[in-house]
Amino acid sequence: MILSKFARYLIDKNYFAREMVENATRKMMEYGESSAGALARVLESDFAALHDTVYEALSKHYAFPQFDVVMEELTHQQIEACKELLGKVPDELKKKLFYRKIFPFSLQSKDRDALLVLASDPTDKIIQEIPEQTPYKRIEVYWAHLKTIEDLIAKIAPQRNEFLQLLEEAGQVLSDIDDGSSGMDLNEQALDEEINKSLLVNLFEGALIEAVHSDASDVHIIPAGRTTIDVLFRIDGKLQLWHRQESTPPEALSAVVKDRSIGVDRFERDTAQDGFAQRLIDEHLIRFRISIIPIVSSEFDRRFESIVIRVIDDRKVITDFRKLGFQAQAEQEFIKSISTSKGIIIVTGPTGSGKSTTLMAALHHVINPTINVLTCEDPVEYVIHGARQLKIGHKMSFDQAIRSILRHDPDVVMVGEIRDKITADIAVKLANTGHLTFSTLHTNDAPSAVSRLYKMGIETFLLAYSINIIIAQRLVRKLCVHCRRPLSKEHWPAALQIGLTQEELESGTIYEPVGCPKCHNGYKGRVNIAEALYFYPEVRNEIVKSINDIDEERIRAIAEKHGMLSMRRSGVERMREGLTDLTEVLYASAED
């Protein structure tokens, strides 16, 4: 294929292998782009290339000089001069520059009329807005490491959440409302007065922004008493208290959430409600799915509600299957299973185990313009480019939707969940009529998924020859590489019991969490552990010859003979890689 000058430069200078650059070029062309900057973005976003590696190459290709800053050597005078300089940059432009990791740093000492601009991507077009919107008409652009710019922003111009800042500046403006002790809950007029005189809007909006910045998957708003509200974030799978709001009736914040959401009734407090909201945060449209349910508390005269807000950030969608981080054999068997024209791929696990993420990546792996991809989800969270997604609603039930799919000439189908015999029958019918079918199931491990489908009423020969693979997975928290330490000796006996060796423990390469400012109690991010039950001929034969029940242990034994890792063994391998710790593995594989 014909490669651009930048692509050839990357290969010639040994930044990346030819195959990777060629694949990235193809992907870039699929997106309808052809510039060097576009190739750099694709390498980073779709091929997991390190940001600094890509953009250092780009800056050298275009002969941009490099500028390094030693944070410890910055003087007070330099910092103050930089703050003064930034004061002449309009706030909106400053936000955009910082978001794109561009930092106006100093005036050149020769004639002090040229502005030195540090950029992690020196080709970013927004840099041209600096002379247009500031007094600095001459600029000199330098490439700098991403961390250098992030450290400068944090040290010299830390970004504040404007809603939380307003809340802090207001001080304690909230107070108890006299509800008259009448045995009735707060009336609407009292709620309106509370909302109007307080800054609860700022608390709600600030929580949404901070949830995105904190990489939280959910926000929980929970009444904690007559005049107390707890706001929690779910980060890396664990709930953490983010803010406690005192002297405020929980009904007031519930009313604010409803007022600023779509699809919910402010005056309805006795039934569950689902709504949504969307906000532009960091120049990106973030969607929020809102669930509200009435709850009982010790305050029997009040009608409290629990609110959970799911953060739906399209930037988190993994489109490259290999970025999921499956272990070698599981990844090979999964790719083999989805690189065919028919059969069922089932991903199983509890809520929050990453099933949807895995299915999204698998779908993106197979989508191309020559096939018709249909999905049936409830609810639809992420927009999948190249797929036609059916929306479930009161006019079209889940059953109606998947029946309609059969008449819509599909090649690939994703059924959000196999819920009952109807959906199971349709998934099997799709697979046996030459369609590749993706779905999820709620079981603890891979072999038990076969039993679940059998008990739903699917015949053994249909089960055996319609399923390609069953992936059972969990998510475990990753250890922070900055503060992890070798596993303490008192935990060695438990580690030995799950399969680690004395030599591994003595080598100091099996770790435990500590906790530092760069992580959450010793953890940052999550990684999957999984067992992949590929349907080898022996597995199919075992299922076909089952008469009264499925022998799960026999199926497991056959699969493990072919190299399948159990959930526990997969977790132990993650410990050997230094990614997670004993507590996480024991918790995630407790059902083994």
Side-chain angles (χ1 to χ4, degrees):
M1 67 182 302
I2 299 174
L3 295 175
S4 66
K5 287 183 180 179
F6 180 51
R8 292 199 302 272
Y9 177 83
L10 292 172
I11 297 167
D12 294 343
K13 298 296 182 181
N14 295 316
Y15 279 102
F16 304 107
R18 172 176 285 274
E19 182 185 4
M20 183 173 175
V21 175
E22 288 179 348
N23 288 337
T25 299
R26 289 190 190 93
K27 181 70 75 172
M28 175 188 68
M29 292 168 69
E30 286 177 19
Y31 294 151
E33 298 188 81
S34 59
S35 67
L39 179 57
R41 288 192 294 275
V42 168
L43 280 166
E44 182 185 12
S45 63
D46 290 26
F47 292 85
L50 294 176
H51 179 95
D52 282 349
T53 303
V54 175
Y55 287 98
E56 180 184 28
L58 185 65
S59 66
K60 287 181 176 178
H61 177 65
Y62 283 119
F64 284 100
Q66 180 176 337
F67 195 95
D68 293 313
V69 179
V70 180
M71 301 303 296
E72 294 76 16
E73 295 178 5
L74 279 179
T75 65
H76 176 71
Q77 289 81 1
Q78 285 176 308
I79 292 172
E80 290 305 310
C82 190
K83 287 181 179 177
E84 183 181 346
L85 180 155
L86 289 170
K88 297 176 182 177
V89 179
D91 287 343
E92 279 306 308
L93 176 60
K94 201 184 318 181
K95 284 181 186 177
K96 290 179 183 178
L97 292 173
F98 288 169
Y99 175 67
R100 307 278 270 274
K101 301 299 182 282
I102 298 164
F103 194 87
F105 182 60
S106 66
L107 293 172
Q108 294 288 57
S109 57
K110 287 182 287 186
D111 45 20
R112 296 189 62 78
D113 68 344
L115 177 65
L116 189 153
V117 177
L118 305 183
S120 63
D121 173 9
T123 66
D124 197 317
K125 291 180 180 178
I126 197 175
I127 295 172
Q128 300 309 315
E129 295 185 26
I130 296 174
E132 295 172 5
Q133 298 189 40
T134 72
Y136 310 110
K137 302 308 176 189
R138 286 185 55 216
I139 59 173
E140 293 187 9
V141 182
Y142 287 74
W143 177 75
H145 289 91
L146 186 63
K147 188 175 187 308
T148 297
I149 295 173
E150 289 175 342
D151 287 347
L152 283 171
I153 293 171
K155 188 177 184 73
I156 297 173
Q159 298 303 285
R160 298 294 306 275
N161 183 325
E162 59 184 293
F163 293 104
L164 296 184
Q165 194 171 353
L166 286 169
L167 196 64
E168 290 171 11
E169 289 170 358
Q172 186 72 342
V173 298
L174 308 173
S175 60
D176 292 327
I177 293 180
D178 180 14
D179 56 26
S181 302
S182 62
M184 300 292 288
D185 50 50
L186 299 177
N187 61 50
E188 294 303 326
Q189 182 181 355
L191 277 180
D192 279 332
E193 288 173 0
E194 183 71 356
I195 292 165
N196 291 335
K197 78 173 183 176
S198 74
L199 289 171
L200 290 181
V201 168
N202 293 326
L203 175 60
F204 173 56
E205 297 294 339
L208 297 184
I209 293 171
E210 285 301 302
V212 173
H213 289 169
S214 303
D215 204 22
S217 61
D218 301 89
V219 179
H220 289 238
I221 299 174
I222 310 169
R226 294 183 72 83
T227 57
T228 307
I229 310 158
D230 283 344
V231 182
L232 301 95
F233 288 172
R234 186 177 293 280
I235 299 174
D236 294 338
K238 302 292 182 182
L239 284 173
Q240 302 176 13
L241 180 65
W242 172 72
H243 178 79
R244 170 163 283 180
Q245 182 64 48
E246 305 279 2
S247 305
T248 305
E251 297 94 329
L253 186 53
S254 294
V256 166
V257 174
K258 292 176 183 178
D259 277 347
R260 300 184 70 82
S261 305
I262 298 170
V264 293
D265 182 353
R266 152 90 178 268
F267 303 102
E268 178 57 68
R269 294 190 209 154
D270 295 318
T271 63
Q273 297 192 73
D274 291 310
F276 71 94
Q278 55 187 33
R279 301 288 187 271
L280 194 65
I281 299 173
D282 296 335
E283 294 191 323
H284 194 83
L285 189 66
I286 309 292
R287 289 172 293 132
F288 301 90
R289 195 180 77 219
I290 298 169
S291 171
I292 305 171
I293 58 172
I295 58 172
V296 175
S297 77
S298 57
E299 308 292 338
F300 294 111
D301 58 333
R302 304 279 283 275
R303 286 187 289 176
F304 287 158
E305 293 169 298
S306 169
I307 300 172
V308 174
I309 303 169
R310 168 62 54 89
V311 181
I312 302 171
D313 186 345
D314 290 322
R315 293 171 297 182
K316 294 182 183 177
V317 175
I318 297 175
T319 57
D320 183 352
F321 184 82
R322 288 174 176 81
K323 285 187 181 178
L324 292 173
F326 278 102
Q327 285 146 329
Q329 181 166 328
E331 181 178 292
Q332 290 167 10
E333 291 175 342
F334 204 160
I335 290 176
K336 185 178 175 182
S337 298
I338 64 179
S339 302
T340 182
S341 61
K342 63 180 181 179
I344 305 174
I345 286 85
I346 296 175
V347 183
T348 182
T351 301
S353 61
K355 298 188 298 296
S356 296
T357 300
T358 298
L359 285 183
M360 289 291 136
L363 269 181
H364 279 95
H365 187 86
V366 302
I367 284 175
N368 69 69
T370 68
I371 60 174
N372 177 18
V373 179
L374 294 170
T375 77
C376 178
E377 309 159 76
D378 185 18
V380 174
E381 288 191 348
Y382 296 102
V383 175
I384 306 170
H385 297 290
R388 306 175 203 179
Q389 296 172 266
L390 277 71
K391 184 179 180 181
I392 308 302
H394 65 279
K395 291 186 177 179
M396 182 167 66
S397 69
F398 194 82
D399 293 348
Q400 289 171 325
I402 59 175
R403 284 195 176 98
S404 298
I405 281 175
L406 287 167
R407 300 188 293 271
H408 211 73
D409 187 31
D411 294 294
V412 176
V413 176
M414 184 175 82
V415 179
E417 181 185 348
I418 294 177
R419 308 177 174 202
D420 48 32
K421 190 175 189 303
I422 295 171
T423 50
D425 280 337
I426 290 177
V428 169
K429 184 176 181 180
L430 282 164
N432 287 329
T433 52
H435 303 89
L436 188 62
T437 308
F438 296 86
S439 194
T440 66
L441 200 61
H442 288 283
T443 60
N444 289 330
D445 57 26
S448 63
V450 182
S451 291
R452 176 71 58 84
L453 291 168
Y454 177 70
K455 288 171 183 173
M456 283 183 183
I458 306 300
E459 297 289 342
T460 54
F461 71 91
L462 290 175
L463 278 177
Y465 292 102
S466 60
I467 299 174
N468 294 352
I469 195 170
I470 300 173
I471 297 276
Q473 68 177 59
R474 302 284 190 282
L475 294 176
V476 293
R477 290 182 292 173
K478 291 172 67 175
L479 288 167
C480 172
V481 296
H482 299 286
C483 64
R484 66 185 182 183
R485 66 186 176 201
L487 187 66
S488 304
K489 284 194 174 182
E490 60 263 30
H491 300 307
W492 285 17
L496 290 168
Q497 280 188 341
I498 65 169
L500 291 164
T501 66
Q502 186 75 23
E503 291 76 15
E504 288 171 326
L505 296 172
E506 290 173 354
S507 71
T509 57
I510 307 299
Y511 300 100
E512 65 183 9
V514 178
C516 71
K518 295 185 177 182
C519 66
H520 305 290
N521 301 316
Y523 301 97
K524 190 171 180 64
R526 288 189 290 175
V527 66
N528 70 42
I529 60 173
E531 58 182 28
L533 175 58
Y534 185 77
F535 274 46
Y536 291 100
E538 298 97 313
V539 173
R540 297 187 194 279
N541 292 338
E542 178 62 32
I543 295 171
V544 167
K545 71 180 186 182
S546 301
I547 300 174
N548 297 320
D549 209 351
I550 301 292
D551 189 340
E552 295 177 20
E553 290 308 312
R554 175 69 184 146
I555 292 173
R556 177 178 292 282
I558 294 169
E560 290 183 350
K561 185 184 74 174
H562 282 277
M564 182 186 86
L565 294 177
S566 68
M567 200 76 72
R568 175 69 53 85
R569 284 181 59 205
S570 176
V572 171
E573 288 302 313
R574 294 299 193 199
M575 290 178 66
R576 290 187 173 120
E577 294 164 14
L579 292 174
T580 192
D581 73 310
L582 182 66
T583 305
E584 285 292 296
V585 171
L586 290 175
Y587 179 77
S589 59
E591 295 89 3
D592 268 15

